[in-house]
Amino acid sequence: GLGGATGAPTTEPGAHRQFVGGVCRTHGHTTPIICAPSPTEADCTEHPMTNSSLPSSRPPVKLRAADQAYEAIEGLISTLRLEPGAPIVEAELVELTQLGRTPVREALLRMVSIGLIVQQPRRGLLVSHIDLAAHLDVIQPRRVRERLIAACAARRATAAQRQEILRRAERMVEAAERDRLDEYMQADHALDVINHQACQNFSAVQCVLPLIVKCRRFWYAYQHEGEVSEGARAHMQLAQGIASGDEAQAIAGAEQLMEYLERFARRIIDR
């Protein structure tokens, strides 16, 4: 669900050692990202959401230092704590993440490869700007992958995963009704994590994750134009389809979510 009514987050001194669940780009699990609201039950130091109540087709795997650095820096960029056009200062990121230069550099190279960071002559690395018109080209390929992931999850999810997916969607609806944006986004992350585990399609998940990051950053930049309850309803339809094993309903929910994101993007572009 990418919509809300509050202003974009701001960076405050001393805010850096707080965590909230993000999504691991390597294994599809939730991981901590730096500079975010206080912890929730979805957080842990390695791969949360992989306990006995949430079966996964992949065993828990401790993140490499480079993956930890990627998660932390991506969280700063996607939530606009590192704003578009901001210079990337490697030494500051090393200190912020408490990781070495080598993993931070590896993480930055990965971000260059997916377009979150750009390298410019004589200016070094910068956070990429958000290209409004090109954002529709992000949603189109994401639509195809989300439909596939929804169909796979409806077919392959365990009973426990189906229950958890529905529970997370219910939390999104509740958070939307109370206009609790942080809770909404945390439940959204958690639902994505379980959905990605349940689909058991690692290739599809790896393809969709960079697109999700770009959509999240776009939403954080323009969230005042969005309607969070609409996104919550789309997630609920998706969750109900997966929970009931109804592949068609799950695909329809994924399609409804992508339609919402496209309408949101066009509203920003056309204003």
Side-chain angles (χ1 to χ4, degrees), residues 4-74:
T6 62
T10 57
T11 304
E12 297 179 0
H16 295 308
R17 301 292 185 259
Q18 295 178 306
F19 300 88
V20 68
V23 178
C24 169
R25 309 300 161 220
T26 305
H27 304 97
H29 304 310
T30 300
T31 57
I33 58 176
I34 293 177
C35 282
S38 58
T40 69
E41 64 181 4
D43 302 329
C44 94
T45 56
E46 295 178 5
H47 284 312
M49 313 305 293
T50 54
N51 53 44
S52 59
S53 66
L54 299 177
S56 170
S57 59
R58 293 176 177 271
V61 180
K62 187 172 182 178
L63 283 178
R64 298 166 51 244
D67 295 328
Q68 295 177 42
Y70 181 94
E71 296 306 315
I73 300 167
E74 181 267 293

Side-chain angles (χ1 to χ4, degrees), residues 59-267:
V61 180
K62 187 172 182 178
L63 283 178
R64 298 166 51 244
D67 295 328
Q68 295 177 42
Y70 181 94
E71 296 306 315
I73 300 167
E74 181 267 293
L76 298 174
I77 292 174
S78 64
T79 59
L80 302 184
R81 290 170 173 86
L82 280 176
E83 296 181 350
I88 297 296
V89 181
E90 184 180 287
E92 291 181 359
L93 294 177
V94 169
E95 180 180 359
L96 184 64
T97 61
Q98 296 295 296
L99 297 166
R101 290 185 177 273
T102 298
V104 167
R105 285 176 181 171
E106 182 178 333
L108 293 175
L109 287 174
R110 287 168 60 186
M111 291 181 187
V112 170
S113 71
I114 66 171
L116 283 180
I117 291 175
V118 294
Q119 189 165 14
Q120 295 189 349
R122 296 184 297 279
R123 297 188 63 190
L125 297 177
L126 303 174
V127 178
S128 64
H129 288 281
I130 298 174
D131 187 333
L132 294 182
H135 188 67
L136 293 175
D137 293 333
V138 174
I139 296 173
Q140 290 172 359
R142 182 180 173 186
R143 183 191 301 271
V144 175
R145 288 156 178 82
E146 292 287 6
R147 288 169 57 94
L148 173 61
I149 289 170
C152 289
R155 291 197 306 269
R156 300 172 178 174
T158 66
Q161 286 170 334
R162 295 179 196 278
Q163 293 175 2
E164 185 64 19
I165 286 171
L166 189 58
R167 187 168 74 92
R168 294 298 176 177
E170 290 170 348
R171 287 195 174 187
M172 291 182 70
V173 172
E174 292 169 0
E177 290 174 348
R178 292 182 288 124
D179 199 25
R180 298 295 298 269
L181 183 59
D182 288 340
E183 293 179 13
Y184 178 88
M185 291 303 293
Q186 289 160 12
D188 185 15
H189 278 304
L191 192 154
D192 282 345
V193 170
I194 307 303
N195 187 23
H196 291 167
Q197 292 175 355
C199 80
Q200 300 180 43
N201 190 325
F202 186 66
S203 296
V205 171
Q206 288 296 93
C207 290
V208 82
L209 285 172
L211 306 176
I212 291 175
V213 173
K214 292 179 180 180
C215 287
R216 185 189 311 139
R217 184 169 74 137
F218 185 90
W219 178 78
Y220 267 104
Y222 302 104
Q223 56 185 283
H224 56 283
E225 300 281 352
E227 176 51 59
V228 69
S229 61
E230 187 178 354
R233 289 193 296 271
H235 280 90
M236 178 56 74
Q237 181 176 353
L238 169 67
Q240 289 173 337
I242 295 173
S244 64
D246 187 333
E247 188 173 333
Q249 183 180 357
I251 292 173
E255 183 67 25
Q256 183 180 342
L257 177 59
M258 293 301 103
E259 287 292 329
Y260 161 64
L261 293 180
E262 183 170 336
R263 287 194 302 272
F264 173 70
R266 290 190 182 278
R267 188 158 58 244

